[in-house]
Structure formats: C-alpha cells, structure tokens
Amino acid sequence: MTQTQTQDVIKKINTTAAELKSMSCTFVQTKNLSMLNDKMVSKGQMYYSQPNKLRWEYTSPYNYIFIFNETKVYVGNKSKKDVIDTNSNKVFKEIARIMMNTVTGKALSNTADFSVSVADAPNFWEITLVPKKKDLKQMFSKIEMYFNKTNNMISELNIIEKNNDKTNIKFSNISTNKAIDASLFAIP
C-alpha cells in the first residue's frame, strides 16, 4: 500500500476507535508453544468501557480475570487474587496500556512505541506493529492485527513473542456502544 493509503486506513480505524464508548465480545485464544509443539485453547469474554476500563475474563478451560480500571489492575481467580497499582508497577502499566490500545485500535497511532505497516486483503486490513522500545521488544517481536473492513473493528490478533511462541485471539459477537454494567470493572 502507498503511504497515503496506509494513512487513510489508520484514520478510518482511529475514527472508529474515537467513537467507541464501550465494547463487549467473546474470544477464543490459542497459545502455540514452539518448544513443546503444543496448543492451549482458552475462551472467554472481553468488556471495554471508555476511557480506561477493560475486563478480560477467561471462562474455559479455567476461570481467570484480568481487570484494568484506571490505575488499578486486578488479576486472579477464586483461590488467588492480586491487585496492582499501575502507577508503581511499570510492567503492568505497559501491559495494560498495550492491551487497551490494541483492542481499541489506538495503538496504530503510537509511533513512539511501534513501527506500523498495513497490508490490504479482500475483507480485512492486516496491520503489523513492530516494537521500537527495548522493554517492548523484550515482551514480543510483533503484533499482527486484523481489522474488518465493514466496521473498522478488530477481529483477530496475533502476538508473536521473541521465542516464536504465538498467541492468536479471535473476537466474535462484538457489540459496541451499549451499556455495560459498571460492576464488571470493580476491583474486588
């Protein structure tokens, strides 16, 4: 794609992200472990509410919740819980920020953190983010995002780690700008 076409695609996605007040969906996450030739499949629900609230809830094969609410992160299940203040934990702050920006598409404009390339396919745009910062490079080598052309929303995500492990997340049943119960983002 030309630079102008790339900028037009990013502008469309950013416009949709700016109008996104809330989002909920189901997801299937497949983790491919290169060392073990093994796949781990998890399923769950994701909820987002503007400006800084995200709930990532695994429901199968185990129950586990990640909640980001402003500056607090909750991770846990019935037997183990942890609350982290992102103001005092740089790693969790980065993880939470990247998760939030990737789900909403805002990461495409973050040229300080990523170099961005766009490829055109019949039904989607494939956007590849390659980290620029040392701390991000230690977490992964690249993120591949697939945006549906009909609604400019993310439909699939690949996170490729330095060791070639790969996490694929497919989003479905996406609902946007509907009321989401605020208690879903409460830090227990």
Side-chain angles (χ1 to χ4, degrees):
M1 293 184 77
T2 67
Q3 186 65 24
T4 302
Q5 290 171 318
T6 296
Q7 289 173 344
D8 287 346
V9 168
I10 291 171
K11 184 177 178 182
K12 285 179 188 179
I13 293 168
N14 283 339
T15 299
T16 300
E19 295 169 355
L20 189 65
K21 307 295 183 225
S22 67
M23 177 178 158
S24 63
C25 66
T26 56
F27 67 86
V28 176
Q29 176 178 304
T30 305
K31 176 86 171 177
N32 293 295
L33 302 172
S34 58
M35 294 282 291
L36 302 176
N37 268 346
D38 198 11
K39 289 183 181 184
M40 297 184 311
V41 178
S42 307
K43 297 178 181 180
Q45 295 277 127
M46 190 277 299
Y47 303 92
Y48 163 78
S49 182
Q50 209 178 45
N52 291 319
K53 296 177 182 169
L54 180 72
R55 179 184 180 106
W56 195 270
E57 181 175 358
Y58 293 93
T59 57
S60 171
Y62 53 84
N63 293 323
Y64 194 79
I65 300 172
F66 174 97
I67 299 172
F68 177 62
N69 189 336
E70 304 296 332
T71 62
K72 302 278 189 221
V73 172
Y74 166 86
V75 288
N77 55 28
K78 288 182 180 181
S79 60
K80 184 180 180 195
K81 299 173 183 170
D82 203 3
V83 177
I84 299 131
D85 184 342
T86 60
N87 289 328
S88 61
N89 189 314
K90 185 180 174 184
V91 173
F92 262 92
K93 187 173 193 167
E94 279 297 302
I95 291 169
R97 184 178 64 81
I98 290 168
M99 281 182 71
M100 186 86 64
N101 289 344
T102 302
V103 166
T104 62
K106 294 177 186 175
L108 307 181
S109 299
N110 192 341
T111 55
D113 287 346
F114 301 103
S115 61
V116 179
S117 63
V118 178
D120 195 7
N123 298 319
F124 60 87
W125 293 294
E126 179 184 347
I127 300 177
T128 303
L129 305 176
V130 177
K132 292 180 177 179
K133 293 182 176 179
K134 182 180 176 182
D135 54 341
L136 294 177
K137 287 180 181 181
Q138 291 173 347
M139 288 191 263
F140 49 85
S141 60
K142 67 180 174 177
I143 298 173
E144 300 167 339
M145 304 165 64
Y146 299 86
F147 286 84
N148 184 314
K149 286 184 175 180
T150 57
N151 61 10
N152 304 323
M153 295 292 297
I154 193 165
S155 60
E156 189 172 346
L157 173 70
N158 288 316
I159 302 168
I160 295 88
E161 298 173 29
K162 285 180 66 172
N163 62 0
N164 288 325
D165 286 355
K166 178 180 170 183
T167 303
N168 171 269
I169 304 168
K170 292 183 180 177
F171 301 96
S172 57
N173 304 315
I174 297 172
S175 176
T176 59
N177 297 330
K178 304 248 172 34
I180 295 178
D181 186 349
S183 68
L184 288 171
F185 305 107
I187 304 289

